[in-house]
PDB file of all heavy atoms in Angstrom:
ATOM      1  N   ASP A   1       9.975 -87.715 -16.795  1.00 90.00           N
ATOM      2  CA  ASP A   1      11.366 -87.262 -16.760  1.00 90.00           C
ATOM      3  C   ASP A   1      11.490 -85.784 -17.130  1.00 90.00           C
ATOM      4  O   ASP A   1      12.183 -85.022 -16.459  1.00 90.00           O
ATOM      5  CB  ASP A   1      12.215 -88.121 -17.698  1.00 90.00           C
ATOM      6  CG  ASP A   1      13.683 -87.739 -17.653  1.00 90.00           C
ATOM      7  OD1 ASP A   1      14.325 -88.001 -16.612  1.00 90.00           O
ATOM      8  OD2 ASP A   1      14.199 -87.168 -18.643  1.00 90.00           O
ATOM      9  N   VAL A   2      10.813 -85.356 -18.200  1.00 89.00           N
ATOM     10  CA  VAL A   2      10.959 -83.962 -18.638  1.00 89.00           C
ATOM     11  C   VAL A   2      10.263 -83.007 -17.669  1.00 89.00           C
ATOM     12  O   VAL A   2      10.726 -81.871 -17.474  1.00 89.00           O
ATOM     13  CB  VAL A   2      10.409 -83.758 -20.067  1.00 89.00           C
ATOM     14  CG1 VAL A   2      11.262 -84.505 -21.070  1.00 89.00           C
ATOM     15  CG2 VAL A   2       8.959 -84.174 -20.178  1.00 89.00           C
ATOM     16  N   PHE A   3       9.147 -83.423 -17.049  1.00 89.00           N
ATOM     17  CA  PHE A   3       8.526 -82.568 -16.040  1.00 89.00           C
ATOM     18  C   PHE A   3       9.505 -82.308 -14.901  1.00 89.00           C
ATOM     19  O   PHE A   3       9.624 -81.186 -14.405  1.00 89.00           O
ATOM     20  CB  PHE A   3       7.266 -83.227 -15.478  1.00 89.00           C
ATOM     21  CG  PHE A   3       6.077 -83.177 -16.403  1.00 89.00           C
ATOM     22  CD1 PHE A   3       4.958 -83.956 -16.157  1.00 89.00           C
ATOM     23  CD2 PHE A   3       6.080 -82.366 -17.527  1.00 89.00           C
ATOM     24  CE1 PHE A   3       3.854 -83.915 -16.996  1.00 89.00           C
ATOM     25  CE2 PHE A   3       4.984 -82.321 -18.382  1.00 89.00           C
ATOM     26  CZ  PHE A   3       3.872 -83.097 -18.121  1.00 89.00           C
ATOM     27  N   GLU A   4      10.218 -83.352 -14.480  1.00 87.00           N
ATOM     28  CA  GLU A   4      11.156 -83.217 -13.375  1.00 87.00           C
ATOM     29  C   GLU A   4      12.368 -82.376 -13.767  1.00 87.00           C
ATOM     30  O   GLU A   4      12.905 -81.625 -12.964  1.00 87.00           O
ATOM     31  CB  GLU A   4      11.610 -84.599 -12.905  1.00 87.00           C
ATOM     32  CG  GLU A   4      12.504 -84.567 -11.666  1.00 87.00           C
ATOM     33  CD  GLU A   4      12.841 -85.950 -11.157  1.00 87.00           C
ATOM     34  OE1 GLU A   4      12.348 -86.940 -11.737  1.00 87.00           O
ATOM     35  OE2 GLU A   4      13.606 -86.042 -10.183  1.00 87.00           O
ATOM     36  N   ARG A   5      12.792 -82.512 -15.035  1.00 83.00           N
ATOM     37  CA  ARG A   5      13.995 -81.796 -15.476  1.00 83.00           C
ATOM     38  C   ARG A   5      13.728 -80.327 -15.806  1.00 83.00           C
ATOM     39  O   ARG A   5      14.564 -79.457 -15.541  1.00 83.00           O
ATOM     40  CB  ARG A   5      14.592 -82.475 -16.711  1.00 83.00           C
ATOM     41  CG  ARG A   5      15.199 -83.841 -16.442  1.00 83.00           C
ATOM     42  CD  ARG A   5      15.815 -84.424 -17.707  1.00 83.00           C
ATOM     43  NE  ARG A   5      16.290 -85.774 -17.488  1.00 83.00           N
ATOM     44  CZ  ARG A   5      17.482 -86.076 -16.963  1.00 83.00           C
ATOM     45  NH1 ARG A   5      18.299 -85.099 -16.626  1.00 83.00           N
ATOM     46  NH2 ARG A   5      17.845 -87.319 -16.795  1.00 83.00           N
ATOM     47  N   TYR A   6      12.591 -80.030 -16.408  1.00 80.00           N
ATOM     48  CA  TYR A   6      12.376 -78.695 -16.957  1.00 80.00           C
ATOM     49  C   TYR A   6      11.349 -77.855 -16.208  1.00 80.00           C
ATOM     50  O   TYR A   6      11.238 -76.664 -16.454  1.00 80.00           O
ATOM     51  CB  TYR A   6      11.950 -78.793 -18.432  1.00 80.00           C
ATOM     52  CG  TYR A   6      13.034 -79.390 -19.299  1.00 80.00           C
ATOM     53  CD1 TYR A   6      13.017 -80.741 -19.619  1.00 80.00           C
ATOM     54  CD2 TYR A   6      14.090 -78.612 -19.760  1.00 80.00           C
ATOM     55  CE1 TYR A   6      14.014 -81.308 -20.412  1.00 80.00           C
ATOM     56  CE2 TYR A   6      15.089 -79.163 -20.542  1.00 80.00           C
ATOM     57  CZ  TYR A   6      15.048 -80.506 -20.866  1.00 80.00           C
ATOM     58  OH  TYR A   6      16.049 -81.053 -21.629  1.00 80.00           O
ATOM     59  N   LEU A   7      10.585 -78.474 -15.317  1.00 79.00           N
ATOM     60  CA  LEU A   7       9.605 -77.729 -14.538  1.00 79.00           C
ATOM     61  C   LEU A   7       9.918 -77.912 -13.068  1.00 79.00           C
ATOM     62  O   LEU A   7      10.236 -79.003 -12.629  1.00 79.00           O
ATOM     63  CB  LEU A   7       8.183 -78.225 -14.814  1.00 79.00           C
ATOM     64  CG  LEU A   7       7.713 -78.170 -16.270  1.00 79.00           C
ATOM     65  CD1 LEU A   7       6.316 -78.744 -16.381  1.00 79.00           C
ATOM     66  CD2 LEU A   7       7.742 -76.752 -16.807  1.00 79.00           C
ATOM     67  N   THR A   8       9.833 -76.815 -12.319  1.00 59.00           N
ATOM     68  CA  THR A   8      10.078 -76.905 -10.885  1.00 59.00           C
ATOM     69  C   THR A   8       8.776 -76.661 -10.157  1.00 59.00           C
ATOM     70  O   THR A   8       7.980 -75.805 -10.535  1.00 59.00           O
ATOM     71  CB  THR A   8      11.134 -75.886 -10.416  1.00 59.00           C
ATOM     72  OG1 THR A   8      11.338 -76.059  -9.019  1.00 59.00           O
ATOM     73  CG2 THR A   8      10.721 -74.462 -10.683  1.00 59.00           C
ATOM     74  N   HIS A   9       8.521 -77.440  -9.096  1.00 51.00           N
ATOM     75  CA  HIS A   9       7.266 -77.348  -8.368  1.00 51.00           C
ATOM     76  C   HIS A   9       7.304 -76.224  -7.362  1.00 51.00           C
ATOM     77  O   HIS A   9       8.274 -76.049  -6.647  1.00 51.00           O
ATOM     78  CB  HIS A   9       6.974 -78.671  -7.649  1.00 51.00           C
ATOM     79  CG  HIS A   9       6.720 -79.791  -8.601  1.00 51.00           C
ATOM     80  ND1 HIS A   9       5.524 -79.977  -9.230  1.00 51.00           N
ATOM     81  CD2 HIS A   9       7.550 -80.785  -9.057  1.00 51.00           C
ATOM     82  CE1 HIS A   9       5.594 -81.045 -10.012  1.00 51.00           C
ATOM     83  NE2 HIS A   9       6.803 -81.546  -9.927  1.00 51.00           N
ATOM     84  N   ASN A  10       6.229 -75.500  -7.293  1.00 46.00           N
ATOM     85  CA  ASN A  10       6.078 -74.424  -6.316  1.00 46.00           C
ATOM     86  C   ASN A  10       4.790 -74.669  -5.539  1.00 46.00           C
ATOM     87  O   ASN A  10       3.702 -74.515  -6.071  1.00 46.00           O
ATOM     88  CB  ASN A  10       6.017 -73.070  -7.029  1.00 46.00           C
ATOM     89  CG  ASN A  10       5.805 -71.937  -6.051  1.00 46.00           C
ATOM     90  OD1 ASN A  10       5.927 -72.139  -4.842  1.00 46.00           O
ATOM     91  ND2 ASN A  10       5.488 -70.768  -6.568  1.00 46.00           N
ATOM     92  N   THR A  11       4.927 -75.085  -4.325  1.00 40.00           N
ATOM     93  CA  THR A  11       3.750 -75.411  -3.510  1.00 40.00           C
ATOM     94  C   THR A  11       3.166 -74.208  -2.806  1.00 40.00           C
ATOM     95  O   THR A  11       2.207 -74.321  -2.062  1.00 40.00           O
ATOM     96  CB  THR A  11       4.126 -76.466  -2.455  1.00 40.00           C
ATOM     97  OG1 THR A  11       5.146 -75.918  -1.615  1.00 40.00           O
ATOM     98  CG2 THR A  11       4.628 -77.742  -3.106  1.00 40.00           C
ATOM     99  N   HIS A  12       3.764 -73.041  -3.003  1.00 39.00           N
ATOM    100  CA  HIS A  12       3.286 -71.807  -2.383  1.00 39.00           C
ATOM    101  C   HIS A  12       3.316 -71.898  -0.864  1.00 39.00           C
ATOM    102  O   HIS A  12       2.622 -71.172  -0.175  1.00 39.00           O
ATOM    103  CB  HIS A  12       1.862 -71.462  -2.840  1.00 39.00           C
ATOM    104  CG  HIS A  12       1.763 -71.281  -4.311  1.00 39.00           C
ATOM    105  ND1 HIS A  12       2.355 -70.234  -4.975  1.00 39.00           N
ATOM    106  CD2 HIS A  12       1.157 -72.041  -5.279  1.00 39.00           C
ATOM    107  CE1 HIS A  12       2.110 -70.325  -6.265  1.00 39.00           C
ATOM    108  NE2 HIS A  12       1.387 -71.410  -6.482  1.00 39.00           N
ATOM    109  N   SER A  13       4.097 -72.808  -0.327  1.00 39.00           N
ATOM    110  CA  SER A  13       4.226 -72.870   1.118  1.00 39.00           C
ATOM    111  C   SER A  13       5.128 -71.746   1.575  1.00 39.00           C
ATOM    112  O   SER A  13       5.963 -71.264   0.838  1.00 39.00           O
ATOM    113  CB  SER A  13       4.826 -74.221   1.538  1.00 39.00           C
ATOM    114  OG  SER A  13       6.086 -74.395   0.939  1.00 39.00           O
ATOM    115  N   PRO A  14       4.992 -71.287   2.829  1.00 41.00           N
ATOM    116  CA  PRO A  14       5.838 -70.200   3.310  1.00 41.00           C
ATOM    117  C   PRO A  14       7.301 -70.569   3.182  1.00 41.00           C
ATOM    118  O   PRO A  14       7.682 -71.719   3.259  1.00 41.00           O
ATOM    119  CB  PRO A  14       5.416 -70.052   4.788  1.00 41.00           C
ATOM    120  CG  PRO A  14       4.034 -70.609   4.835  1.00 41.00           C
ATOM    121  CD  PRO A  14       4.018 -71.728   3.829  1.00 41.00           C
ATOM    122  N   PHE A  15       8.115 -69.561   3.018  1.00 42.00           N
ATOM    123  CA  PHE A  15       9.529 -69.776   2.773  1.00 42.00           C
ATOM    124  C   PHE A  15      10.243 -70.197   4.048  1.00 42.00           C
ATOM    125  O   PHE A  15       9.963 -69.714   5.136  1.00 42.00           O
ATOM    126  CB  PHE A  15      10.163 -68.493   2.230  1.00 42.00           C
ATOM    127  CG  PHE A  15       9.469 -67.981   1.010  1.00 42.00           C
ATOM    128  CD1 PHE A  15       9.009 -66.680   0.966  1.00 42.00           C
ATOM    129  CD2 PHE A  15       9.250 -68.800  -0.083  1.00 42.00           C
ATOM    130  CE1 PHE A  15       8.357 -66.196  -0.148  1.00 42.00           C
ATOM    131  CE2 PHE A  15       8.602 -68.327  -1.197  1.00 42.00           C
ATOM    132  CZ  PHE A  15       8.145 -67.011  -1.232  1.00 42.00           C
ATOM    133  N   LEU A  16      11.205 -71.080   3.885  1.00 43.00           N
ATOM    134  CA  LEU A  16      11.978 -71.539   5.032  1.00 43.00           C
ATOM    135  C   LEU A  16      12.971 -70.483   5.465  1.00 43.00           C
ATOM    136  O   LEU A  16      13.490 -69.722   4.673  1.00 43.00           O
ATOM    137  CB  LEU A  16      12.733 -72.821   4.661  1.00 43.00           C
ATOM    138  CG  LEU A  16      11.855 -74.065   4.441  1.00 43.00           C
ATOM    139  CD1 LEU A  16      12.754 -75.228   4.049  1.00 43.00           C
ATOM    140  CD2 LEU A  16      11.080 -74.406   5.693  1.00 43.00           C
ATOM    141  N   SER A  17      13.271 -70.480   6.750  1.00 47.00           N
ATOM    142  CA  SER A  17      14.288 -69.588   7.272  1.00 47.00           C
ATOM    143  C   SER A  17      15.655 -70.133   6.936  1.00 47.00           C
ATOM    144  O   SER A  17      15.958 -71.281   7.197  1.00 47.00           O
ATOM    145  CB  SER A  17      14.134 -69.459   8.797  1.00 47.00           C
ATOM    146  OG  SER A  17      15.221 -68.787   9.344  1.00 47.00           O
ATOM    147  N   ALA A  18      16.482 -69.301   6.325  1.00 46.00           N
ATOM    148  CA  ALA A  18      17.811 -69.765   5.947  1.00 46.00           C
ATOM    149  C   ALA A  18      18.747 -69.816   7.135  1.00 46.00           C
ATOM    150  O   ALA A  18      19.602 -70.678   7.250  1.00 46.00           O
ATOM    151  CB  ALA A  18      18.400 -68.846   4.876  1.00 46.00           C
ATOM    152  N   THR A  19      18.614 -68.872   8.064  1.00 44.00           N
ATOM    153  CA  THR A  19      19.494 -68.828   9.235  1.00 44.00           C
ATOM    154  C   THR A  19      18.704 -68.325  10.426  1.00 44.00           C
ATOM    155  O   THR A  19      17.669 -67.694  10.299  1.00 44.00           O
ATOM    156  CB  THR A  19      20.691 -67.876   9.018  1.00 44.00           C
ATOM    157  OG1 THR A  19      20.165 -66.565   8.801  1.00 44.00           O
ATOM    158  CG2 THR A  19      21.530 -68.283   7.834  1.00 44.00           C
ATOM    159  N   LEU A  20      19.244 -68.572  11.590  1.00 39.00           N
ATOM    160  CA  LEU A  20      18.694 -67.972  12.800  1.00 39.00           C
ATOM    161  C   LEU A  20      19.109 -66.522  12.870  1.00 39.00           C
ATOM    162  O   LEU A  20      20.157 -66.142  12.356  1.00 39.00           O
ATOM    163  CB  LEU A  20      19.219 -68.714  14.029  1.00 39.00           C
ATOM    164  CG  LEU A  20      18.710 -70.141  14.233  1.00 39.00           C
ATOM    165  CD1 LEU A  20      19.443 -70.768  15.390  1.00 39.00           C
ATOM    166  CD2 LEU A  20      17.216 -70.157  14.490  1.00 39.00           C
ATOM    167  N   PRO A  21      18.333 -65.635  13.517  1.00 38.00           N
ATOM    168  CA  PRO A  21      18.769 -64.266  13.693  1.00 38.00           C
ATOM    169  C   PRO A  21      20.108 -64.226  14.425  1.00 38.00           C
ATOM    170  O   PRO A  21      20.331 -64.964  15.389  1.00 38.00           O
ATOM    171  CB  PRO A  21      17.651 -63.638  14.544  1.00 38.00           C
ATOM    172  CG  PRO A  21      16.448 -64.490  14.265  1.00 38.00           C
ATOM    173  CD  PRO A  21      16.985 -65.873  14.061  1.00 38.00           C
ATOM    174  N   GLN A  22      20.995 -63.359  13.959  1.00 42.00           N
ATOM    175  CA  GLN A  22      22.339 -63.278  14.524  1.00 42.00           C
ATOM    176  C   GLN A  22      22.456 -62.029  15.366  1.00 42.00           C
ATOM    177  O   GLN A  22      22.071 -60.946  14.946  1.00 42.00           O
ATOM    178  CB  GLN A  22      23.376 -63.261  13.397  1.00 42.00           C
ATOM    179  CG  GLN A  22      23.291 -64.510  12.525  1.00 42.00           C
ATOM    180  CD  GLN A  22      24.182 -64.407  11.321  1.00 42.00           C
ATOM    181  OE1 GLN A  22      25.220 -63.783  11.403  1.00 42.00           O
ATOM    182  NE2 GLN A  22      23.808 -65.032  10.238  1.00 42.00           N
ATOM    183  N   SER A  23      22.995 -62.170  16.547  1.00 37.00           N
ATOM    184  CA  SER A  23      23.068 -61.047  17.472  1.00 37.00           C
ATOM    185  C   SER A  23      24.164 -60.079  17.109  1.00 37.00           C
ATOM    186  O   SER A  23      24.135 -58.933  17.492  1.00 37.00           O
ATOM    187  CB  SER A  23      23.286 -61.569  18.893  1.00 37.00           C
ATOM    188  OG  SER A  23      24.496 -62.327  18.955  1.00 37.00           O
ATOM    189  N   SER A  24      25.149 -60.504  16.361  1.00 38.00           N
ATOM    190  CA  SER A  24      26.253 -59.621  16.019  1.00 38.00           C
ATOM    191  C   SER A  24      26.737 -59.927  14.621  1.00 38.00           C
ATOM    192  O   SER A  24      26.892 -61.070  14.241  1.00 38.00           O
ATOM    193  CB  SER A  24      27.423 -59.798  16.992  1.00 38.00           C
ATOM    194  OG  SER A  24      28.551 -59.081  16.558  1.00 38.00           O
ATOM    195  N   ILE A  25      26.977 -58.888  13.845  1.00 39.00           N
ATOM    196  CA  ILE A  25      27.457 -59.080  12.491  1.00 39.00           C
ATOM    197  C   ILE A  25      28.910 -59.516  12.487  1.00 39.00           C
ATOM    198  O   ILE A  25      29.428 -59.932  11.460  1.00 39.00           O
ATOM    199  CB  ILE A  25      27.335 -57.770  11.682  1.00 39.00           C
ATOM    200  CG1 ILE A  25      28.191 -56.659  12.335  1.00 39.00           C
ATOM    201  CG2 ILE A  25      25.916 -57.336  11.530  1.00 39.00           C
ATOM    202  CD1 ILE A  25      28.268 -55.400  11.516  1.00 39.00           C
ATOM    203  N   HIS A  26      29.575 -59.446  13.615  1.00 38.00           N
ATOM    204  CA  HIS A  26      30.983 -59.818  13.667  1.00 38.00           C
ATOM    205  C   HIS A  26      31.173 -61.276  14.057  1.00 38.00           C
ATOM    206  O   HIS A  26      32.291 -61.775  14.114  1.00 38.00           O
ATOM    207  CB  HIS A  26      31.721 -58.913  14.656  1.00 38.00           C
ATOM    208  CG  HIS A  26      31.618 -57.466  14.314  1.00 38.00           C
ATOM    209  ND1 HIS A  26      32.215 -56.926  13.206  1.00 38.00           N
ATOM    210  CD2 HIS A  26      30.941 -56.448  14.920  1.00 38.00           C
ATOM    211  CE1 HIS A  26      31.947 -55.616  13.148  1.00 38.00           C
ATOM    212  NE2 HIS A  26      31.181 -55.322  14.159  1.00 38.00           N
ATOM    213  N   LYS A  27      30.049 -61.974  14.392  1.00 37.00           N
ATOM    214  CA  LYS A  27      30.173 -63.381  14.753  1.00 37.00           C
ATOM    215  C   LYS A  27      30.287 -64.235  13.525  1.00 37.00           C
ATOM    216  O   LYS A  27      30.033 -63.805  12.420  1.00 37.00           O
ATOM    217  CB  LYS A  27      28.968 -63.809  15.590  1.00 37.00           C
ATOM    218  CG  LYS A  27      28.955 -63.173  16.981  1.00 37.00           C
ATOM    219  CD  LYS A  27      27.809 -63.717  17.811  1.00 37.00           C
ATOM    220  CE  LYS A  27      27.825 -63.125  19.216  1.00 37.00           C
ATOM    221  NZ  LYS A  27      26.724 -63.661  20.044  1.00 37.00           N
ATOM    222  N   ALA A  28      30.655 -65.516  13.739  1.00 37.00           N
ATOM    223  CA  ALA A  28      30.789 -66.426  12.603  1.00 37.00           C
ATOM    224  C   ALA A  28      29.475 -66.538  11.864  1.00 37.00           C
ATOM    225  O   ALA A  28      28.406 -66.539  12.459  1.00 37.00           O
ATOM    226  CB  ALA A  28      31.217 -67.821  13.090  1.00 37.00           C
ATOM    227  N   LEU A  29      29.549 -66.605  10.544  1.00 37.00           N
ATOM    228  CA  LEU A  29      28.352 -66.723   9.736  1.00 37.00           C
ATOM    229  C   LEU A  29      27.757 -68.109   9.905  1.00 37.00           C
ATOM    230  O   LEU A  29      28.465 -69.074  10.140  1.00 37.00           O
ATOM    231  CB  LEU A  29      28.702 -66.474   8.264  1.00 37.00           C
ATOM    232  CG  LEU A  29      29.283 -65.086   7.986  1.00 37.00           C
ATOM    233  CD1 LEU A  29      29.725 -65.000   6.538  1.00 37.00           C
ATOM    234  CD2 LEU A  29      28.245 -64.020   8.281  1.00 37.00           C
ATOM    235  N   LEU A  30      26.441 -68.179   9.763  1.00 37.00           N
ATOM    236  CA  LEU A  30      25.741 -69.447   9.938  1.00 37.00           C
ATOM    237  C   LEU A  30      25.171 -69.923   8.628  1.00 37.00           C
ATOM    238  O   LEU A  30      24.733 -69.131   7.811  1.00 37.00           O
ATOM    239  CB  LEU A  30      24.598 -69.260  10.945  1.00 37.00           C
ATOM    240  CG  LEU A  30      25.007 -68.759  12.346  1.00 37.00           C
ATOM    241  CD1 LEU A  30      23.769 -68.567  13.192  1.00 37.00           C
ATOM    242  CD2 LEU A  30      25.965 -69.751  13.004  1.00 37.00           C
ATOM    243  N   VAL A  31      25.150 -71.208   8.427  1.00 37.00           N
ATOM    244  CA  VAL A  31      24.485 -71.790   7.270  1.00 37.00           C
ATOM    245  C   VAL A  31      23.542 -72.852   7.769  1.00 37.00           C
ATOM    246  O   VAL A  31      23.713 -73.418   8.842  1.00 37.00           O
ATOM    247  CB  VAL A  31      25.489 -72.413   6.271  1.00 37.00           C
ATOM    248  CG1 VAL A  31      26.396 -71.356   5.715  1.00 37.00           C
ATOM    249  CG2 VAL A  31      26.318 -73.515   6.938  1.00 37.00           C
ATOM    250  N   ALA A  32      22.517 -73.140   6.990  1.00 38.00           N
ATOM    251  CA  ALA A  32      21.501 -74.084   7.431  1.00 38.00           C
ATOM    252  C   ALA A  32      22.018 -75.497   7.385  1.00 38.00           C
ATOM    253  O   ALA A  32      22.727 -75.888   6.476  1.00 38.00           O
ATOM    254  CB  ALA A  32      20.262 -73.954   6.541  1.00 38.00           C
ATOM    255  N   ASP A  33      21.660 -76.266   8.425  1.00 38.00           N
ATOM    256  CA  ASP A  33      22.027 -77.668   8.458  1.00 38.00           C
ATOM    257  C   ASP A  33      21.232 -78.402   7.403  1.00 38.00           C
ATOM    258  O   ASP A  33      20.145 -78.010   7.023  1.00 38.00           O
ATOM    259  CB  ASP A  33      21.703 -78.231   9.847  1.00 38.00           C
ATOM    260  CG  ASP A  33      22.369 -79.583  10.071  1.00 38.00           C
ATOM    261  OD1 ASP A  33      22.949 -80.121   9.111  1.00 38.00           O
ATOM    262  OD2 ASP A  33      22.293 -80.083  11.189  1.00 38.00           O
ATOM    263  N   ASP A  34      21.805 -79.482   6.880  1.00 39.00           N
ATOM    264  CA  ASP A  34      21.110 -80.273   5.876  1.00 39.00           C
ATOM    265  C   ASP A  34      19.856 -80.926   6.442  1.00 39.00           C
ATOM    266  O   ASP A  34      18.919 -81.230   5.735  1.00 39.00           O
ATOM    267  CB  ASP A  34      22.026 -81.377   5.334  1.00 39.00           C
ATOM    268  CG  ASP A  34      23.038 -80.826   4.351  1.00 39.00           C
ATOM    269  OD1 ASP A  34      22.793 -79.697   3.880  1.00 39.00           O
ATOM    270  OD2 ASP A  34      24.027 -81.507   4.081  1.00 39.00           O
ATOM    271  N   VAL A  35      19.835 -81.167   7.735  1.00 36.00           N
ATOM    272  CA  VAL A  35      18.725 -81.894   8.343  1.00 36.00           C
ATOM    273  C   VAL A  35      17.849 -80.936   9.121  1.00 36.00           C
ATOM    274  O   VAL A  35      18.305 -80.261  10.031  1.00 36.00           O
ATOM    275  CB  VAL A  35      19.237 -83.004   9.276  1.00 36.00           C
ATOM    276  CG1 VAL A  35      18.071 -83.790   9.846  1.00 36.00           C
ATOM    277  CG2 VAL A  35      20.185 -83.927   8.528  1.00 36.00           C
TER     278      VAL A  35
END
């Protein structure tokens, strides 16, 4: 329980992309889908 609560795992895997590249800064902002 305390390992899960107080320590966070870092697998050193490459970072996920938060959003797709956006062609225009004036378009609606994108957020990542849960799935």
Side-chain angles (χ1 to χ4, degrees):
D1 183 70
V2 293
F3 285 167
E4 185 175 358
R5 291 182 185 276
Y6 296 97
L7 302 178
T8 181
H9 294 280
N10 178 12
T11 61
H12 301 292
S13 59
F15 305 126
L16 291 179
S17 170
T19 61
L20 291 174
Q22 301 173 32
S23 59
S24 172
I25 61 173
H26 302 292
K27 291 185 178 181
L29 299 174
L30 302 177
V31 297
D33 194 353
D34 283 343
V35 183

